[in-house]
């Protein structure tokens, strides 16, 4: 006798994109040891933490030195009140969104929250995602058993894929068919697209009419420049009854290695039980987090709260501006060279159409071998991503400049 495996894990496609990029990079570097490879593909940030954050974290460490100010478990593991109040007062109240702090759950990342949130829903729910898509939404549902096998072309059976293409401006319209859990990500990774109020309203209306739930990933909302673009799904009337929102300090404040994020589950959000009862998700997520998660460290939460001080706000804004200056340089240089790009205006990602109808991997290889630059092949995010590569604005400005010089000489 032997223990048996969760068969759903066997349905997962091998983590293919980033290992394959690494393999091709190493092979090229081995045969060209002199080449100075620049990555425009990384999704990680490069700039240091804001001084206000560092100071607050140092202060919090000092508090841990004395019994009177020591902090142990974060009661309940859903975030200290000081941080949840700061989130409510700075992220939502100014946008006309009234939340109770017990609708805000602090966590260690939007990756874990967007992956774990599906646990609240029955296995018979139909999941819809954009194509291309941040892979976590799909893979977490595969692991849970909400999909069939891989049906070829990088798509799983029983998942509804909504093509995000240049024809729809990379913002899929609500579906004709029924879906129960709809993942939306704006500003989008990988396309850099944003959704207008009207576009989001259509999704909120769809969810209200069809009893669906929107899982809204706003990890990049801090990169929105256009004042007309909503930062939160809750800026759309009626969204509180149908939407969960995930946010993160990772790209907003350079917390990729520190780890802090939060998820909002309004108390009005109800789903149905098998016996037809209406069930609120907010207490269920509280229960789930209290059972499976023991909170983010006090030091980290003190650092996250410092992003909402006057100094902290100024400092994180200036880092975001540095990245967005990179984005502008990338967009403008590529446009002047005749490339077609999308995104990079309200998002740190630039979605570049490959020239001459090259596939994503053909263009990846060309740019690696001729310009020694790493890009991320769009097809790695879904079949509709073929013919694109993703560039990120998170590099060091001098590397971005050098990379653009090399791209200018490519053809
Ligand atoms: C769309 C999207 N959501 C969530 C995350 C994960 O963020 P975190 O660092 O908070 O786990 C990322 C990170 O790349 C992302 O691109």
């Amino acid at each position: 006798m032997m223990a048996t495996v969760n068969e759903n894990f066997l349905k997962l496609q091998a983590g293919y994109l980033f290992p394959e990029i690494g393999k091709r990079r190493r092979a090229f570097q081995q045969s060209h040891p002199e080449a100075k490879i620049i990555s425009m593909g990384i999704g990680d940030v490069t700039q240091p933490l804001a001084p206000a954050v560092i100071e607050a974290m140092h202060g919090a460490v000092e508090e841990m030195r004395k019994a009177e100010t020591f902090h142990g478990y974060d009661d309940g593991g859903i975030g200290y009140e000081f941080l949840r109040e700061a989130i409510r007062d700075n992220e939502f109240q100014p946008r006309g969104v009234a939340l109770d702090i017990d609708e805000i759950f602090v966590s260690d990342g939007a990756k874990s929250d967007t992956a774990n949130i599906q646990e609240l829903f029955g296995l018979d729910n139909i999941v819809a995602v954009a194509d291309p898509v941040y892979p976590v939404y799909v893979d977490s549902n595969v692991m849970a058993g909400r999909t069939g096998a891989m049906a070829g072309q990088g798509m799983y059976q029983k998942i509804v894929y909504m093509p995000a293409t240049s024809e729809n401006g990379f913002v899929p319209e609500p579906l004709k068919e029924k879906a129960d859990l709809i993942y939306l990500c704006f500003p989008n990774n990988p396309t850099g697209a944003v959704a207008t109020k009207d576009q989001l309203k259509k999704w909120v209306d769809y969810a209200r009419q069809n009893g669906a739930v929107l899982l809204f990933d706003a990890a990049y909302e801090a990169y929105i420049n256009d004042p007309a673009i909503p930062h939160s799904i809750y800026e759309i009337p009626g969204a509180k009854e149908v939407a969960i929102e995930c946010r993160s300090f990772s790209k907003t404040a350079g917390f990729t290695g520190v780890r802090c994020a939060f998820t909002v589950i309004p108390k009005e959000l109800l789903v149905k039980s098998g016996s037809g009862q209406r069930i609120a998700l907010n207490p269920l997520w509280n229960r789930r987090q209290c059972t499976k998660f023991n909170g983010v460290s006090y030091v980290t939460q003190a650092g996250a709260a410092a992003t909402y001080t006057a100094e902290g706000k100024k400092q994180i804004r200036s880092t975001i501006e540095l990245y967005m200056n990179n984005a502008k340089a990338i967009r403008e240089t590529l446009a002047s060279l005749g490339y077609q790009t999308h995104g990079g205006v309200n998002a740190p990602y630039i979605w570049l159409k490959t020239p001459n109808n090259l596939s994503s991997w053909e263009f990846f290889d060309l740019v690696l071998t001729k310009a020694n630059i790493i890009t991320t092949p769009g097809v790695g995010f879904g079949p509709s991503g073929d013919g694109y590569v993703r560039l990120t604005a998170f590099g060091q400005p001098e590397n971005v400049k050098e990379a653009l010089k090399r791209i200018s000489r490519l053809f």
Side-chain angles (χ1 to χ4, degrees), residues 293-360:
F293 183 63
N294 237 343
V296 175
S297 81
Y298 173 66
V299 175
T300 294
Q301 293 194 54
T307 65
Y308 297 118
T309 60
E311 277 301 289
K313 279 183 187 169
K314 234 192 294 165
Q315 292 162 358
I316 64 170
R317 184 51 42 198
S318 99
T319 301
I320 289 169
E321 277 167 16
L322 176 143
Y323 293 137
M324 289 313 281
N325 282 336
N326 285 343
K328 184 164 182 274
I330 297 169
R331 274 191 295 112
E332 289 180 352
T333 307
L334 291 174
S336 74
L337 294 167
Y339 288 93
Q340 194 190 324
T341 68
H342 303 273
V345 178
N346 293 297
Y349 295 119
I350 292 103
W351 195 233
L352 166 61
K353 178 88 195 84
T354 63
N356 309 325
N357 286 322
L358 294 176
S359 73
S360 292

Side-chain angles (χ1 to χ4, degrees), residues 109-111 134 137 185 189 217 219-220 248 250-251 259:
K111 181 184 256 188
Y134 176 57
Y137 316 147
C185 174
N189 177 12
D217 185 345
Y220 298 97
S248 174
S250 281
K251 308 299 161 71
R259 311 305 305 147

Side-chain angles (χ1 to χ4, degrees), residues 161-177:
Y161 291 88
M162 309 180 289
T165 60
S166 58
E167 283 80 45
N168 59 20
F170 304 98
V171 181
E173 288 266 320
L175 307 143
K176 304 255 176 340
E177 66 241 82

